[in-house]
Amino acid sequence: MQTNSSTSVYIIGGAGSGLGNAIAIALLKKGAHIIALGRSAEKLEVLQNQYSSQADIVCGDITQTETLSHLLQMVSNKHIAGICINAGGPPAATITETSMQDWDMAYQTVLRWKVAMVKALLPQLVAQQYGRLLFIESATVKQPMENLVLSTAFRLAVTGFVKTLSNEVAAKGITANILAPGPHDTPAIERVFKKKQTQTGLDRQAIQETETEKIPVHKLGNAQQFAQLALWLMSEDAGYITGQTISVDGGMVKGIFG
């Protein structure tokens, strides 16, 4: 992990909550400098207050041009060690429940901003001949889950983008990989549980027990454990791993190459 320079930073999306927050904290505990992205100023300020000399924050909607412009200004004179491209997913819904407006919004919130962010930062990574791009997507890109059609469709598009990108930049010292989490014990799982409650009428505890039983390890994922794999993939040691989509799902994906 490149943490020896005060001008070397990691950019962490969704740093205020869930998997992004776990990754941010794990990096900070190792002495890294980060730029934490997120929508909640209150949550980001908790990180900044606890690690004042290591954490800068960019509070805003990363799908908006002004937020990306702010980020670009902050990293213009820094060495970017790694970028964790991560944000929340679209609402849980079946195909028949979705409107075309939902599909347009999902394109914006799941796919478009990631392409824009990569294209904006890539020249800097190429110039430094080094970079680690890590996308946090979902195990639904390997095995669809009910009620997550918007997430599944556009995250599959992200996987195609990342695989193509990895081949284009591999010779420049830049890797691009995807972590595909299954159900984890983070706030993001609540939208899935609430949707199942609406459909079944069961209480939340019953829903969690039912959904957890579907996972071979019979438990939800742990964000702190997930973060350890993310840190390795963003380290110098992972330079020979690129273009991969790695499931972190407790064995949920049934395919041979899950």
Side-chain angles (χ1 to χ4, degrees):
M1 193 178 307
Q2 293 200 343
T3 60
N4 57 337
S5 171
S6 60
T7 60
S8 182
V9 299
Y10 291 84
I11 300 169
I12 309 299
S17 180
L19 299 177
N21 181 255
I23 294 167
I25 290 173
L27 280 166
L28 290 166
K29 285 182 176 179
K30 288 185 175 292
H33 292 257
I34 74 166
I35 296 175
L37 304 177
R39 298 189 186 202
S40 171
E42 182 179 357
K43 291 178 180 178
L44 294 179
E45 285 167 2
V46 170
L47 280 178
Q48 192 174 45
N49 291 337
Q50 191 171 0
Y51 298 92
S52 58
S53 64
Q54 295 172 245
D56 292 311
I57 62 175
V58 174
C59 182
D61 182 350
I62 194 59
T63 69
Q64 301 301 308
T65 302
E66 55 267 26
T67 305
L68 179 57
S69 296
H70 185 191
L71 172 64
L72 294 176
Q73 290 173 6
M74 291 187 70
V75 300
S76 62
N77 62 344
K78 298 182 183 298
H79 180 277
I80 302 173
I83 308 170
C84 178
I85 300 169
N86 171 56
T94 65
I95 293 173
T96 55
E97 290 171 336
T98 60
S99 66
M100 291 313 299
Q101 184 178 7
D102 292 329
W103 286 89
D104 291 341
M105 184 62 68
Y107 164 66
Q108 296 285 337
T109 58
V110 181
L111 175 61
R112 189 186 186 281
W113 72 268
K114 296 171 186 173
V115 178
M117 184 176 181
V118 169
K119 286 177 65 65
L121 290 167
L122 196 57
Q124 195 164 334
L125 301 183
V126 171
Q128 65 188 34
Q129 289 290 287
Y130 181 87
R132 299 285 181 261
L133 295 166
L134 180 63
F135 295 73
I136 310 300
E137 299 301 329
S138 169
T140 62
V141 301
K142 296 189 177 182
Q143 179 173 297
M145 292 174 59
E146 57 186 332
N147 301 316
L148 293 179
V149 64
L150 294 171
S151 175
T152 301
F154 286 105
R155 292 189 193 279
L156 279 165
V158 175
T159 64
F161 169 70
V162 174
K163 186 65 175 182
T164 304
L165 172 68
S166 69
N167 289 329
E168 292 184 2
V169 301
K172 299 177 174 65
I174 302 166
T175 65
N177 292 292
I178 295 171
L179 283 180
H184 275 65
D185 188 11
T186 68
I189 196 66
E190 291 303 322
R191 80 184 196 280
V192 177
F193 288 169
K194 287 179 181 178
K195 182 65 178 178
K196 293 294 290 186
Q197 280 184 276
T198 300
Q199 292 173 324
T200 65
L202 297 174
D203 64 35
R204 189 203 175 284
Q205 185 60 34
I207 292 293
Q208 180 168 335
E209 290 173 0
T210 300
E211 294 302 304
T212 302
E213 281 297 310
K214 297 177 183 179
I215 306 169
V217 299
H218 291 173
K219 62 182 179 181
L220 297 176
N222 178 283
Q224 289 70 40
Q225 293 175 353
F226 179 93
Q228 296 308 307
L229 179 54
L231 261 61
W232 184 76
L233 287 170
M234 288 194 292
S235 74
E236 291 181 272
D237 292 335
Y240 206 56
I241 308 292
T242 195
Q244 303 303 303
T245 299
I246 302 168
S247 302
V248 188
D249 65 349
M252 186 184 73
V253 175
K254 302 304 181 185
I256 296 296
F257 301 106

